[in-house]
Amino acid sequence: MAERLSLRACMAAHLPAATFAVHVMRCVRTELIRFDPQAAVHVDRGDRYVHLYGEAQGTMFSIVLTNDEVDEWKAEGSYALDRYLWMELGKKDIFPPRMTPYLRTVFSIES
């Protein structure tokens, strides 16, 4: 019940896909830079896509999502897109060295 009333749940429910994705990608970027001050992380938004890319922990990465894909992740839950992005980064061996309140929230929500 608490998640349905959260600000993030409202954002997921009401923001357009690209706007929501940019917000989520900026949250991920903030954590990557917190863990690796040398990281260079960028977020771009096109007509029908959003792109998170750069270098963190010495590894280059690029994740592109269409607005339709973002809508699918939004439907899975307010932090589902965050989890997906972190899982994709993990496939590239980019891992957070410790849990933060944000990451605990991302990985504790089961919706």
Side-chain angles (χ1 to χ4, degrees):
M1 183 65 140
E3 183 182 356
R4 280 186 244 147
L5 301 176
S6 74
L7 178 59
R8 178 57 88 90
C10 290
M11 292 172 72
H14 299 290
L15 287 178
T19 303
F20 180 72
V22 166
H23 170 74
V24 170
M25 289 178 174
R26 286 179 178 163
C27 291
V28 171
R29 177 181 68 189
T30 297
E31 291 296 284
L32 289 171
I33 292 170
R34 178 184 325 231
F35 296 138
D36 176 8
Q38 304 288 332
V41 183
H42 308 280
V43 177
D44 287 341
R45 176 180 174 174
D47 286 339
R48 294 190 176 116
Y49 71 92
V50 287
H51 187 195
L52 177 69
Y53 63 98
E55 181 178 351
Q57 299 175 4
T59 302
M60 301 290 291
F61 65 90
S62 175
I63 304 169
V64 178
L65 293 167
T66 66
N67 291 344
D68 290 340
E69 289 171 318
V70 172
D71 279 331
E72 290 174 19
W73 286 112
K74 284 173 48 175
E76 292 291 320
S78 56
Y79 284 92
L81 179 57
D82 304 67
R83 280 191 297 276
Y84 169 75
L85 293 172
W86 284 106
M87 298 302 286
E88 289 300 303
L89 289 168
K91 290 177 185 176
K92 298 171 186 345
D93 293 327
I94 299 172
F95 298 101
R98 66 186 176 284
M99 293 301 279
T100 63
Y102 161 73
L103 289 169
R104 277 193 285 282
T105 301
V106 166
F107 289 106
S108 68
I109 305 284
E110 295 298 329
S111 62

